[in-house]
Amino acid sequence: MPPASVFKNLFPSAENPYSVAQRLKLRIHFWFITLAAMLFLGQCRAGDSPFIVDSWNTAEGLPQSSVIALTQTHDGYLWLGTLNGLVRFDGSHFTVFNVNNTPGLPGDRVVFLYEDKAGDLWAGTGASGLCRIKDGKLENFDTGGASGRVTYAWEDETGAVWFCAADGHIFCWKNGSLNLKPDISAEFWQQLFRRAYHLVVPESATSFWHVQSGRVERWSGDQLQSNMGKTPWDASDVALVFPASGKSLTIDANVTAACSDGQGGLVLGTHGNGVFWVDKTGAWHHITPDDNISQSFVLSVCFDREGNLWVGTDGGGLCRVEKNYFNTLSALPDGVAKSAAEDASGGLWVAYNAHGLAYALSNSVNIYGIGRGSNAWSVLVDGKQQVWAGTLGEGLFRFDAGSFQPVSELATAGQQVFSLFQGRDGTVWAGTENGLCRHGQDGWKIFSNSDGLPQNSISSLMDDVAGNLWIGTAGGGLYVMRDGKIASAAAPVSDISCLLIDRTDGALWVGTSEHGLARYFQGNWAQYSSTNGMDVDDIGYFTQDDKGNLWIGSYEGLMRVSLTGSAAGPPKIISSRTYLTRECSVGAQPAVLSTRAGKFWFPTTEGLVSVDPAELKSNTNPPPVVIESVLVDDVEQKSNPLSSTWPGIITLTPGNQQLQIHFSALDFSAPKHAKLAVHFRYKLEGYDKNWTDLGDAHVAYFSQLPPDNYVFHVEARNEDGFWNEAGATLAITVEPPFWRKPGFITISILIFLGALAGIIYLISTAKLKREVRALHQKELIERERARIARDLHDQLGANLTQVTLLGEMAQADKELPAEVEEHARQICETARETTHSLDEIVWAVNPANDTLEGLANYACKYAQDYFALADISYRAELPPDLPPAPILPEVRHNVFLAFKEAVNNVVKHARATEARVRLRLEAELFILSIEDNGKGLGDISAKQLRNGMKNMRKRLTEVHGEFEISPGPAGGTVVQLKVPIARPKP
């Protein structure tokens, strides 16, 4: 530190005789000098720093800028403890858990984090709170309230987790319970608290670091392995006293965090002095704000599984520290570097826009002006070690006698020289805004549009092994010179920025300013852009390393594109990794320089950057893939945001329309803000046949999925092309509408089959019934015919026979007039009976009479006529409205004959003077009764044997009716014929 007298002179006291103006002037000079020195030192250190540091703060999602605790859990997430919540980090996005969105969290001031071997995450808060997160479920523990905040945890070989508290207490978690007062020895207490305060830093099960008494040592068991010597900082030993436990411990108050780097080195965070990193060779590296670390006050450190160092700062957020393989020469200017070339002695020529050219050799740098404006654009060292330089506005120059001299022969070729190139045969070419220039043994020759070139400027040149010169133009397309003749190459792109011949197969690569890459091989073109694997479409320049990778500079930065060969076609892009996000220069040839030592020098808008591709190590860790959120119609389906797993199945109902699946890849090595650092693809198994490439998008959308069972599968690729093919999966079921569910379909099929069987049965039954009815009808007709034949035979036949006999008798008794008269009378009576019988037969056959009304009318008419002849008083009682009920001919005939027999019995046997016919209707039947006031039944048992009554009963039985005969209420006889109106089904 400078002596106080220096500051006393710079800041005079009030007694100092300097005037106020003089004092103000001194102060301004002081601050100006200090600021200039800081900027200079910062630039020098940043350019030579062996580390690349990226930082994240509240502007990028951190809830608070003090990261007190850090750990990486088994699922790949990086967890942070801040003063405003617990934070989960996936490499690009922060998820914050606090007391408002996470019930059960003891507090927002998370000061301690630790994951045990079972995968449970322990979190301690500033208010002595302790909780465990197991499978996404949070469980709080009562630590007694007086233990203070948890500062450290360690798990022994039995699975017991030991916790150290700020007040000196130790408590233990074992077998599912927390013991607040375990029985421990003083030696064990010392071991744990020495670890808690970074006096001892574990490296493995048997090795550890000692950081004490201002020295750093590495031990294995009781053997000293490495002595790193004195610490680069001044130790600040402080004696801590723990009244609650009655113990004390001397610590270095400057050391606030520590961890092993896993490679035989140690990282230590300090209070106000940044990070110190000692490697296995004993070399110390100091990482400070000059190296872009956001804050020199460090609270926590840890390494992830990819080897990155994470630093939690006090007020500066989160920092990631990686080894820096890219370097600059601090002595070179910081302006826009456009072109670089190497001479035979290893010297480096660099063209700077508006700053001339610089030449660096060993530790010296010389700056050369060029023309009036020093607008150097391109530089080339040819095989004869002649240095050529193109400018933007003053033509071509050649280095001669310690300065750049204009090439007057090319004054007519144009003043803007965009490209310089030396062919395989040693010919030097220059591309300008007006044409192409060639320098040979006979001097310079200019080719213009009269030679077949377009009027566009020449942006790039390249020759192949066949001696063809390929000419790229800015907007005019690609041309080729063969045997001195220039012709269009018919390329699919026109905005050409650079050209390259592939080292492996001689193919021509074409870079464009807006349309990515094109590749020409054996007469076929292939194109690569952001639509099929490229990170960018604007190509400023490119080169190829020994492994066939393309290094591309663009406005978005510097990236390496890895390709794989394909026997069926052009190579495919397998990865595209961004190394630098600073803008690369465009528009000049040559641009990138490949040195004899194997290094690449890349021109950027912030100067020249170098890298040795052989030193770069690919990230071979496939990134873990997690599904973080599922939205169904914008409704979150994950009920436990702390868990990284998805148990069970996501079920969509028929009414759901939209499905969104959000996922992430836990990649912590990709450059911050790099485009397409992580690449995703997904397939919905059962729906998609092929993978869908998402690029760096973290969400997949589905709309109106058909009912089925699906498995969503997402995979991720890291920045070096290594895929996690296991990825993450999620089972999805889309329920069908109720009419498409198996149960409903089964029931519907059964109902359909039942209905079909029923219809078939009904049709078959109806057909059978029709056949039965037809047979029955036929039988009825046959029976009716038989009855008619019988009636004709019994009545008409007998009457006609009787008439014949009476006629013969009358003829035989012709001599006896009285006998003849009697015979004639009998013949007349028989003829009348025959007429009545024939009338009855006709009535019975006529279908017009097949009604109840027809039967009633005919029966009453018969009774009226017959009773009138017998001089018997007759009365008929009928309902006023008879239903139009059909009566089968057989029924009508049998009922009438039974009725006729009953009427005849009244006339012949009852000796009645009055008779009454009555028709009554009841449900499903009618009752036809014949009543008289005659002598009554007498001995009915003997009369039942008479044929007349037997016949009546028989006739009623044949038509499913009933015959009843009983005494009348006032004497006489009552005969009832009960007949069903509707005939029962057979």
Side-chain angles (χ1 to χ4, degrees), residues 836 858-871 874 903:
H836 286 301
Y858 190 79
C860 291
K861 179 68 170 57
Y862 174 82
Q864 180 181 359
D865 293 343
Y866 200 73
F867 285 137
L869 292 176
D871 196 22
Y874 162 73
V903 171

Side-chain angles (χ1 to χ4, degrees), residues 793 795-808 830 834:
H793 176 271
Q795 297 183 23
L796 297 184
N799 290 345
L800 291 176
T801 299
Q802 184 177 359
V803 170
T804 301
L805 291 176
L806 289 174
E808 290 177 353
T830 302
T834 301

Side-chain angles (χ1 to χ4, degrees), residues 890-904:
E890 179 185 8
V891 175
R892 185 161 49 85
H893 177 71
N894 283 305
V895 171
F896 176 74
L897 291 181
F899 176 80
K900 180 180 177 182
E901 183 67 26
V903 171
N904 290 339

Side-chain angles (χ1 to χ4, degrees), residues 515-516 527-537 676 679 693 695:
H515 298 92
Q527 289 184 263
Y528 306 85
S529 66
S530 56
T531 61
N532 60 352
M534 288 287 293
D535 287 2
V536 296
D537 290 321
L676 289 177
H679 198 100
D693 196 309

Side-chain angles (χ1 to χ4, degrees), residues 40 43-44 47-48 327-337 339-341 347-352 355-368 593 601-603 606-610:
F40 175 76
Q43 288 177 352
C44 293
D48 298 331
N327 301 293
T328 63
L329 287 178
S330 58
L332 286 174
D334 292 331
V336 178
S339 177
L348 184 65
W349 285 94
V350 186
Y352 290 90
H355 293 287
L357 290 100
Y359 179 68
L361 180 63
S362 298
N363 294 323
S364 64
V365 175
N366 295 322
I367 306 298
Y368 297 92
L593 168 64
W601 288 89
F602 299 102
E606 301 176 38
L608 204 63
V609 178
S610 71

Side-chain angles (χ1 to χ4, degrees), residues 572-645:
K572 296 181 179 179
I573 295 176
I574 59 174
S575 70
S576 180
R577 172 169 183 165
T578 299
Y579 279 100
L580 297 176
T581 55
R582 68 169 64 180
E583 181 180 337
C584 294
S585 303
V586 299
Q589 183 192 8
V592 57
L593 168 64
S594 178
T595 68
R596 295 176 182 85
K599 278 190 174 184
F600 286 150
W601 288 89
F602 299 102
T604 75
T605 58
E606 301 176 38
L608 204 63
V609 178
S610 71
V611 66
D612 185 351
E615 293 182 356
L616 297 174
K617 296 180 180 180
S618 296
N619 179 12
T620 60
N621 298 297
V625 184
V626 291
I627 297 174
E628 294 190 326
S629 175
V630 177
L631 301 179
V632 176
D633 291 341
D634 296 326
V635 177
E636 176 59 61
Q637 302 300 299
K638 192 172 188 179
S639 58
N640 189 354
L642 283 169
S643 175
S644 60
T645 60

Side-chain angles (χ1 to χ4, degrees), residues 13 20 29 155 169 176 203 224 246 309 315 331 340 348 373 375 390 404 472 539 600 656 723 770 811 826 856 896 936:
S13 65
V20 175
H29 285 178
E155 185 173 3
H169 276 96
E203 184 180 53
L224 177 64
L309 171 63
L348 184 65
N375 288 325
F404 283 93
I539 311 297
F600 286 150
N656 296 136
W723 284 94
R770 287 196 301 271
Q811 186 177 4
Q826 291 180 355
F896 176 74

Side-chain angles (χ1 to χ4, degrees), residues 508-577:
L508 175 67
W509 288 96
V510 180
T512 70
S513 58
E514 295 180 353
H515 298 92
L517 290 174
R519 187 178 190 270
Y520 181 72
F521 183 66
Q522 296 181 349
N524 297 313
W525 285 97
Q527 289 184 263
Y528 306 85
S529 66
S530 56
T531 61
N532 60 352
M534 288 287 293
D535 287 2
V536 296
D537 290 321
D538 55 293
I539 311 297
Y541 55 76
F542 52 24
T543 190
Q544 192 173 33
D545 62 22
D546 294 336
K547 296 181 180 180
N549 302 312
L550 294 179
W551 290 80
I552 297 174
S554 72
Y555 291 128
E556 284 80 1
L558 177 67
M559 61 205 67
R560 184 187 66 190
V561 176
S562 300
L563 303 105
T564 179
S566 174
K572 296 181 179 179
I573 295 176
I574 59 174
S575 70
S576 180
R577 172 169 183 165

